[in-house]
Amino acid sequence: MIKVYIDWNVMSGMRNGKLEEFTNIITNKNKFLLVYSTSHISDIFASIKEGNDNKEEIKSDLEYITYLTNNLCIVTIPQSFTVDYYDPNELFEEEFENKKLLSDFSIDNLLDYNIYGEDFIKTLKELPLDDDFKQALDDQNNSQYLDKLFPDLNTNPTIGGFFKSYNKMFNDSMKTESFKYVKKIVQEIGLNSGYFNDNKNPFDLIEKAYKKYGMTPYDNIKPCTYIPEWFNNLTNDYIILDIHGYKEDKIEVQDRHKKTFRNTLEDSSHTAFASRFDFYITLDNKSIKKSQAVYNKNKVFTKVLKPTEFVEYYKTYLNRNTVNEHFSDIISTICKGENFYSLINKEKIVIGAEKITCEYFFNYFNKISLFEPEYSDSVFVLSRNNASFPTITFIKEIQFLINLFIHEIGNDINNRGLFEFDEFLEDDIWTIREWKTNKGTIILRRNLGWLQLYFYKI
């Protein structure tokens, strides 16, 4: 199956009857595997209106996520991620509880008096800040900036005062236009939207500006230990681009709509989650440019497209449904011989040729390998070039792949029919599937966790 991540604005448009052609294509659940993330839940949570008078609309949003994804959700865990079935309604309730905690970063809210005791918490709150920080607060050159970033901290330079000030700064950035000031401070190093050139790598331009000061844009970024490193890297890179003016989001709060730092933060999370998938579908032009730049920097091969672009991609490369149609595509690709590169073994001998394709043969494979006769008697080998690492292969993908062959070719040579989950043995070992056809022999093999298809002449 072809894994697709769709951002919430596109999902919302689909739910409201827009993007009809895209919707008809992407809801083919025999071809596409759709997954939602906790960032979708955050997007819906942000739509809560005062008085909660859009409760039915939110319910409809969550039901639509279930309809599209069958509740399959990607979530981060320390150093990795998992994809499992989660009810969006339950995640929404968890989001509600988490937001109550995040709305108050004060020590009183973060620490339990019953556990730590009143005297300990009182002492902690009254501890003075580091001398260097206090000197920075007193420095007239710095104070005008720090007063904006950490409001009222200069009147209470303690640990308790810092948490209270940080709480105000964080919540203001999520609800008001205050993040504009943060961008202004950062861009005073000489960067802004006019500094960037579409023909040059934006990260190179940012690092060049910092190099003049003997710094890098990452010097003061501390990784979050409770989320995986790759997620940290992608979200940080996305925010670095925006905060320095590259395709930056507009910060504007009006009665009818709000565009705050929260929008950028959620977009960065969508970009990170989408990096585990073959396609990322969004309508946001600025987000597309930032996501593509982030993916290029981090060697992620996820394709970022608008819904209309995906429709054209589908018509050109993905609109094959039967085994015969896929085989015709494979033969055509081999006969054209375009964009193949040499396969070289450890002894630096050319043993064949390989190509990463725009097509996903049998709705899964996107890499063709051709070997010299002395190294393999196969006509070709199909495998998958994943968008990123680490990645995941769903049992559901293997199930749909096998069942495609069963429905059109019949049972395999061992008379096994539709895929059964007990085919997986201990240590994730999977028994070989093999078919004899009038075209040749097809063998599906799982090697070191990677699924491959071998095709041999009769």
Side-chain angles (χ1 to χ4, degrees):
M1 302 180 76
I2 303 166
K3 297 191 279 280
V4 181
Y5 185 96
I6 306 172
D7 82 359
W8 175 243
N9 286 335
V10 175
M11 282 191 183
S12 180
M14 294 165 65
R15 183 181 70 80
N16 292 322
K18 301 174 183 178
L19 306 171
E20 184 177 352
E21 188 174 15
F22 171 76
T23 302
N24 290 337
I25 291 169
I26 207 67
T27 49
N28 179 353
K29 295 184 180 181
N30 290 323
K31 183 182 287 285
F32 300 108
L33 186 67
L34 308 183
V35 177
Y36 79 102
S37 74
T38 47
S39 288
H40 289 95
I41 302 301
S42 296
D43 284 334
I44 295 173
F45 185 87
S47 70
I48 294 177
K49 295 179 181 177
E50 192 172 340
N52 199 20
D53 59 357
N54 62 330
K55 190 174 181 180
E56 288 303 313
E57 181 183 349
I58 289 173
K59 180 183 176 183
S60 177
D61 288 341
L62 296 171
E63 288 175 350
Y64 193 71
I65 284 179
T66 293
Y67 162 71
L68 283 181
T69 67
N70 294 323
N71 289 351
L72 198 58
C73 179
I74 179 172
V75 296
T76 57
I77 56 177
Q79 303 310 312
S80 190
F81 68 101
T82 185
V83 179
D84 210 337
Y85 294 93
Y86 296 95
D87 185 338
N89 292 282
E90 293 179 5
L91 290 182
F92 186 83
E93 292 301 319
E94 288 181 16
E95 182 79 2
F96 186 80
E97 293 301 317
N98 290 338
K99 283 296 188 288
K100 284 199 298 185
L101 175 65
L102 292 175
S103 65
D104 185 359
F105 277 113
S106 67
I107 290 178
D108 290 320
N109 190 48
L110 295 174
L111 299 183
D112 189 333
Y113 277 81
N114 293 324
I115 297 175
Y116 295 96
E118 184 174 347
D119 290 341
F120 172 81
I121 293 177
K122 183 175 184 293
T123 301
L124 179 64
K125 289 166 65 176
E126 293 175 352
L127 284 175
L129 292 174
D130 180 88
D131 286 342
D132 290 341
F133 201 101
K134 287 199 294 184
Q135 288 177 13
L137 287 172
D138 294 334
D139 188 327
Q140 290 185 349
N141 293 325
N142 295 326
S143 61
Q144 59 174 322
Y145 301 117
L146 291 175
D147 285 346
K148 291 284 187 181
L149 291 176
F150 300 102
D152 304 324
L153 184 57
N154 60 339
T155 62
N156 183 18
T158 63
I159 296 297
F162 175 81
F163 274 86
K164 184 177 180 180
S165 177
Y166 181 83
N167 175 66
K168 179 171 174 53
M169 178 194 69
F170 178 81
N171 283 290
D172 282 352
S173 69
M174 296 294 144
K175 299 174 184 177
T176 72
E177 297 182 0
S178 65
F179 197 69
K180 275 183 179 179
Y181 194 79
V182 177
K183 287 188 176 185
K184 181 181 177 182
I185 294 173
V186 171
Q187 292 177 14
E188 282 186 357
I189 68 167
L191 288 166
N192 54 57
S193 58
Y195 179 82
F196 295 96
N197 184 322
D198 284 342
N199 297 321
K200 294 185 178 180
N201 185 324
F203 289 103
D204 290 344
L205 295 174
I206 292 171
E207 289 181 9
K208 181 180 178 181
Y210 272 84
K211 195 173 182 180
K212 293 185 294 187
Y213 303 95
M215 301 168 59
T216 79
Y218 302 93
D219 284 347
N220 296 314
I221 296 177
K222 303 298 181 185
C224 298
T225 57
Y226 58 87
I227 58 176
E229 182 180 3
W230 60 265
F231 196 94
N232 263 319
N233 292 341
L234 294 172
T235 52
N236 287 339
D237 283 343
Y238 188 99
I239 292 170
I240 279 173
L241 289 178
D242 185 85
I243 203 172
H244 289 93
Y246 180 73
K247 309 299 178 184
E248 64 179 309
D249 295 331
K250 191 174 185 179
I251 303 291
E252 184 179 67
V253 175
Q254 297 181 355
D255 291 339
R256 300 194 65 173
H257 70 274
K258 289 184 178 181
K259 293 182 179 179
T260 68
F261 178 59
R262 187 204 69 80
N263 300 79
T264 304
L265 195 60
E266 292 301 342
D267 285 345
S268 74
S269 293
H270 281 304
T271 295
F273 280 124
S275 70
R276 306 301 104 176
F277 298 84
D278 301 309
F279 292 89
Y280 175 29
I281 311 300
T282 179
L283 285 162
D284 188 330
N285 289 320
K286 292 179 178 179
S287 182
I288 288 172
K289 289 291 187 182
K290 282 180 284 196
S291 297
Q292 288 173 332
V294 169
Y295 289 163
N296 288 338
K297 177 177 181 289
N298 291 276
K299 294 181 172 57
V300 171
F301 302 105
T302 300
K303 301 172 185 68
V304 189
L305 301 174
K306 293 181 181 180
T308 51
E309 292 171 334
F310 181 84
V311 169
E312 292 307 309
Y313 192 102
Y314 171 84
K315 291 177 179 178
T316 305
Y317 300 111
L318 307 179
N319 191 16
R320 284 73 168 164
N321 297 305
T322 68
V323 170
N324 281 336
E325 286 174 337
H326 284 290
F327 261 112
S328 295
D329 243 11
I330 294 167
I331 300 306
S332 175
T333 300
I334 293 173
C335 290
K336 287 178 182 176
E338 297 172 349
N339 302 318
F340 277 84
Y341 53 89
S342 296
L343 271 175
I344 302 173
N345 65 9
K346 293 179 180 178
E347 288 74 33
K348 297 184 178 180
I349 298 172
V350 176
I351 61 172
E354 196 167 71
K355 176 182 179 177
I356 297 171
T357 66
C358 295
E359 295 87 352
Y360 286 77
F361 302 118
F362 309 114
N363 304 323
Y364 184 83
F365 302 106
N366 65 342
K367 184 160 67 174
I368 299 179
S369 301
L370 309 174
F371 293 93
E372 296 294 338
E374 59 265 40
Y375 296 100
S376 174
D377 56 354
S378 63
V379 178
F380 60 81
V381 178
L382 300 182
S383 55
R384 187 180 180 97
N385 183 63
N386 290 292
S388 57
F389 186 83
T391 188
I392 188 170
T393 299
F394 301 97
I395 293 180
K396 191 173 183 180
E397 293 180 87
I398 299 174
Q399 176 189 13
F400 275 79
L401 178 61
I402 290 174
N403 290 350
L404 175 65
F405 288 109
I406 294 295
H407 286 309
E408 296 196 37
I409 300 175
N411 290 355
D412 65 13
I413 62 170
N414 295 312
N415 201 34
R416 284 179 300 176
L418 298 177
F419 175 83
E420 295 180 0
F421 289 97
D422 60 7
E423 290 186 34
F424 282 90
L425 308 176
E426 292 182 5
D427 299 324
D428 219 19
I429 298 171
W430 179 63
T431 53
I432 293 171
R433 287 280 197 143
E434 182 175 341
W435 290 266
K436 300 286 187 182
T437 76
N438 58 3
K439 290 184 173 67
T441 298
I442 301 167
I443 295 179
L444 278 177
R445 180 180 290 128
R446 198 159 187 250
N447 184 23
L448 300 176
W450 306 109
L451 194 64
Q452 296 175 319
L453 183 148
Y454 295 78
F455 183 74
Y456 300 89
K457 290 181 180 178
I458 298 175

